[in-house]
Amino acid sequence: MVSSPIAEARSVAAHHPLGTSTGHLTELRGQWDMLVMRARDVSTMAVELAALAEPEFLSLCDWLADSGRELPFRFLSVHAPTKQRSLPEPELVARLLALPSTVDAIVVHPDVIDVPERYAPLGATVVLENMDTRKDDGRTAAELAPYFAALPDAGFCLDVPHAHSIDPTLEEAHAMLDAFGERLRHLHVSSLDADSHHVTLRPEDEAAFAPILGRCLDVPWILEAPLPTR
Amino acid sequence: MSETPHGALERLAEHGRRGFPHLLAARRRTETDLADVQRRLGGIPLDDGASVVLMGSWGRRERTSGSDDDFLVLVEGEERDARPRVDDLDRVLGHGTAKPGTRGTFGAQVFVGPLVRHIGLDDDSNRNLTRRMLLVLESLPVVGTEAYRDAFTRVIDGYVTGHAKDFRPPRFLLNDLIRYWRTICVDFAGKAREEERKWGLRNAKLRLNRKLLFAGGLVPVLLCHEHRADHQRSFLVDQLQAPPTDRLAHAFLRFDAADPGVRALGAYDRWIGMLDDPDRRAHLTGLTRRDAADDPAFRDVRRVAKEFEQGLLALLFETRLGPLVREFGVF
């Protein structure tokens, strides 16, 4: 499919709607009021509240229960925990189900899912993210297909640098969009360092990602690292 | 690619895996029901210059199980005794649950003279504006097709002749279209203050059907900038005779935004599926604003509406339409 030349020429910073993940604001971890203030400085259009460790997630649940309705963001995503997991999966899903109705998307990593069908009650709110080279599953269209088959209403979050790490030609990213593009809910955008950690988007990556970004003009782009200052 | 939008929805469907099953089923239903209504109205007395015109879901070619009959008897010229009378149509259109809205906009004889003459100022009532814009944006003739085409063209003429400029969108029509969309939004709030009933369904239709109507009109009006003034009328007539979903699908394809187009119209397709579910429709109809905040069914509506809007915004601002929206869409 052909992407828009105008969109390809525009920078990531100019995209609408654009927002940030709180995951890279490590110095403020767990301080949700502060994290939201920092995210708001980037944009009130979109945000991803990242609670990658389970204790963080539990604190986020408590905090959202008090303040979820007052958040300023047009698109609100919550990243479900992937680390320090101790809750049984049914209890985790129950906690995710109890999040405020203002949450538009709940991002889940396929590689930490035990039984996909358990997430079905989340309906279209659950969003599956493609994984990077460090993971053993959920990295490609073929590996994601069984999860989407088990969760027919689930959305898709394309993590562009993850896809790039799997296939620098980005053919796999195109394949994932061909397969699951109709479910696409938002993007993760950044570059990765040698250890696959999200870092500020490098100009050469921004240029390389352009054809993929051009297919995703309509959805929120969530920055997983600060934008470069230019 | 083809200049005409007719059939573009099917062409856009080829870019996705799911297609648009609900929209295409609703089109088939519209065609079948239209043929039935035409057969049943075949023998009615019909003056020269008169037509029976359907609007709303009929005009958008998206009839579902709960659709009503928003119709007008459209007659050329000035107010007079004319046939058919609304009573002549009683047994075929607008009876039972298909009765058109209670505000008197539909189910009436309307004369083309005042419809065209009163554009703007005090005589252009809310009702006159609504009838004129729906004729332009979502109408379908049942009988008197030639008279309908004449009336449709006269209304377009009313906006274009003497006003349009080469390679500029016709501002008169553009301003009236934007005014109509904003009127719908303001009237929604007005109705909500009058009565809580039907808030859920009205809000959902505002987010989806009405937005489709507006965007589906905005795009062809903006695209007039590609034409000389004397070609804009025929361009608009061709564009606006296609269903609004075709107009938008055509624009998504034309401006290299097939992926967002598939998502946007895919979301709209899911909405048509919801509308065609009698239980869900009844649930939304009974939903008040207060109850909607935590209602799972309304949450689904909000989600598809947001996806639809995001797609439209991408079309209008992230493609080559963007400079036109910026230049002509605000001031």
Side-chain angles (χ1 to χ4, degrees), chain A residues 153-224:
Chain A
D153 294 329
F156 175 44
C157 169
L158 176 64
D159 189 306
V160 183
H162 284 179
H164 189 237
S165 77
I166 295 294
D167 174 10
T169 70
L170 288 168
E171 279 184 26
E172 188 56 43
H174 281 291
M176 285 190 274
L177 284 176
D178 289 343
F180 312 119
E182 284 158 297
R183 302 168 179 264
L184 188 70
R185 303 290 294 286
H186 62 291
L187 298 190
H188 285 168
V189 181
S190 72
S191 290
L192 295 181
D193 67 13
D195 297 322
S196 292
H197 295 120
H198 293 281
V199 295
T200 293
L201 185 63
R202 291 183 285 266
E204 61 270 28
D205 286 340
E206 186 170 357
F209 296 168
I212 293 297
L213 301 179
R215 295 183 63 178
C216 309
L217 303 172
D218 50 331
V219 299
W221 296 358
I222 298 291
L223 303 166
E224 293 209 294

Side-chain angles (χ1 to χ4, degrees), chain A:
Chain A
M1 203 178 299
V2 188
S3 55
S4 165
I6 279 198
E8 283 191 20
R10 291 182 65 180
S11 72
V12 167
H15 179 72
H16 173 92
L18 186 74
T20 190
S21 164
T22 59
H24 65 85
L25 303 170
T26 51
E27 71 280 11
L28 297 173
R29 193 157 282 169
Q31 301 176 60
W32 294 108
D33 284 320
M34 294 293 291
L35 286 166
V36 163
M37 279 179 64
R38 290 281 293 275
R40 205 175 56 188
D41 290 342
V42 175
S43 166
T44 56
M45 293 297 138
V47 72
E48 187 162 286
L49 302 177
L52 298 188
E54 193 173 284
E56 245 182 310
F57 171 69
L58 295 176
S59 77
L60 175 62
C61 292
D62 293 340
W63 184 83
L64 276 175
D66 289 337
S67 56
R69 288 188 186 290
E70 294 161 19
L71 294 179
F73 306 101
R74 290 267 290 157
F75 175 81
L76 173 58
S77 171
V78 168
H79 200 306
T82 59
K83 299 182 286 193
Q84 300 173 41
R85 292 268 307 271
S86 61
L87 285 174
E89 193 167 55
E91 196 175 327
L92 172 65
V93 172
R95 293 253 184 187
L96 294 172
L97 266 172
L99 289 172
S101 61
T102 46
V103 173
D104 295 294
I106 298 170
V107 177
V108 176
H109 283 187
D111 67 306
V112 298
I113 291 177
D114 292 332
V115 181
E117 288 80 359
R118 285 185 180 142
Y119 292 79
L122 291 163
T125 309
V126 70
V127 170
L128 300 175
E129 177 186 348
N130 60 300
M131 297 289 92
D132 64 30
T133 49
R134 295 172 300 174
K135 305 292 169 56
D136 298 324
D137 199 5
R139 298 165 298 183
T140 62
E143 289 177 357
L144 285 167
Y147 294 95
F148 283 118
L151 296 167
D153 294 329
F156 175 44
C157 169
L158 176 64
D159 189 306
V160 183
H162 284 179
H164 189 237
S165 77
I166 295 294
D167 174 10
T169 70
L170 288 168
E171 279 184 26
E172 188 56 43
H174 281 291
M176 285 190 274
L177 284 176
D178 289 343
F180 312 119
E182 284 158 297
R183 302 168 179 264
L184 188 70
R185 303 290 294 286
H186 62 291
L187 298 190
H188 285 168
V189 181
S190 72
S191 290
L192 295 181
D193 67 13
D195 297 322
S196 292
H197 295 120
H198 293 281
V199 295
T200 293
L201 185 63
R202 291 183 285 266
E204 61 270 28
D205 286 340
E206 186 170 357
F209 296 168
I212 293 297
L213 301 179
R215 295 183 63 178
C216 309
L217 303 172
D218 50 331
V219 299
W221 296 358
I222 298 291
L223 303 166
E224 293 209 294
L227 274 176
T229 48
R230 287 173 185 161

Side-chain angles (χ1 to χ4, degrees), chain B residues 2-3 43 92 130 149 154 214 217 323:
Chain B
S2 166
E3 263 297 303
V92 181
T130 300
R149 289 276 296 190
R154 273 207 65 200
F214 172 55

Side-chain angles (χ1 to χ4, degrees), chain B:
Chain B
M1 80 166 282
S2 166
E3 263 297 303
T4 181
H6 296 268
L9 187 67
E10 283 96 335
R11 296 197 291 276
L12 182 64
E14 292 167 9
H15 291 258
R17 296 197 169 193
R18 294 173 174 167
F20 308 119
H22 301 297
L23 274 169
L24 295 175
R27 281 196 180 183
R28 286 192 295 274
R29 181 195 287 261
T30 306
E31 281 172 24
T32 305
D33 291 354
L34 178 66
D36 181 54
V37 171
Q38 282 172 327
R39 182 182 54 75
R40 295 171 67 194
L41 288 182
I44 57 158
L46 189 71
D47 286 0
D48 281 347
S51 59
V52 177
V53 181
L54 291 159
M55 292 161 172
S57 58
W58 282 98
R60 295 190 302 275
R61 280 70 152 184
E62 55 186 51
R63 272 178 65 70
T64 57
S65 50
S67 294
D68 55 13
D69 295 336
D70 291 341
F71 73 93
L72 292 176
V73 175
L74 195 62
V75 187
E76 65 162 5
E78 300 304 312
E79 193 160 346
R80 64 182 185 280
D81 186 28
R83 302 294 290 268
R85 299 196 177 92
V86 171
D87 294 351
D88 297 332
L89 312 174
D90 258 0
R91 287 190 203 154
V92 181
L93 287 172
H95 60 96
T97 55
K99 190 172 164 49
T102 55
R103 293 178 179 264
T105 304
F106 303 107
Q109 280 187 342
V110 172
F111 295 86
V112 179
L115 204 62
V116 176
R117 198 168 53 252
H118 301 312
I119 305 181
L121 304 180
D122 288 350
D123 287 336
D124 194 8
S125 62
N126 190 318
R127 193 176 286 170
N128 200 55
L129 170 67
T130 300
R131 288 169 173 168
R132 187 175 61 249
M133 291 312 298
L134 292 187
L135 177 64
V136 168
L137 297 172
E138 53 171 34
S139 62
L140 185 64
V142 188
V143 292
T145 303
E146 202 171 314
Y148 160 81
R149 289 276 296 190
D150 288 348
F152 184 88
T153 307
R154 273 207 65 200
V155 173
I156 299 291
D157 269 341
Y159 286 111
V160 174
T161 305
H163 297 282
K165 294 179 181 171
D166 291 346
F167 308 115
R168 296 278 183 281
R171 292 255 196 194
F172 193 14
L173 176 54
L174 178 64
N175 286 334
D176 214 24
L177 174 65
I178 293 170
R179 169 173 79 128
Y180 177 57
W181 160 242
R182 293 299 182 184
T183 300
I184 294 173
C185 297
V186 172
D187 285 354
F188 165 78
K191 286 177 190 170
R193 279 183 4 179
E194 273 181 11
E195 57 166 355
E196 282 203 345
R197 207 172 57 93
K198 291 190 177 178
W199 187 92
L201 188 61
R202 279 186 181 145
N203 185 270
K205 286 185 172 181
L206 180 67
R207 291 168 184 259
L208 287 139
N209 310 65
R210 310 292 178 249
K211 211 168 276 178
L212 171 90
L213 182 70
F214 172 55
L218 183 61
V219 168
V221 173
L222 290 173
L223 288 178
C224 283
H225 90 287
E226 296 175 334
H227 301 280
R228 291 199 175 277
D230 58 6
H231 187 234
Q232 290 182 7
R233 185 181 84 160
S234 59
F235 173 75
L236 285 169
V237 168
D238 179 59
Q239 290 273 320
L240 294 168
Q241 289 288 290
T245 40
D246 269 353
R247 291 175 227 152
L248 289 175
H250 183 253
F252 277 114
L253 286 168
R254 187 178 159 193
F255 293 106
D256 301 329
D259 288 279
V262 165
R263 283 189 285 276
L265 286 163
Y268 194 79
D269 181 78
R270 296 202 295 285
W271 163 240
I272 294 300
M274 291 180 201
L275 266 182
D276 200 24
D277 176 343
D279 292 339
R280 195 183 289 232
R281 188 183 179 113
H283 176 77
L284 289 173
T285 303
L287 209 55
T288 64
R289 183 177 188 172
R290 185 177 302 172
D291 296 337
D294 290 316
D295 183 81
F298 198 75
R299 190 179 190 183
D300 288 343
V301 168
R302 274 204 311 263
R303 178 176 290 112
V304 298
K306 198 178 274 191
E307 287 180 31
F308 180 56
E309 183 185 88
Q310 285 176 174
L312 295 180
L313 289 173
L315 174 67
L316 292 171
F317 289 93
E318 307 289 337
T319 69
R320 292 193 305 279
L321 279 173
L324 290 174
V325 178
R326 179 179 170 136
E327 186 70 20
F328 300 108
V330 180
F331 298 117

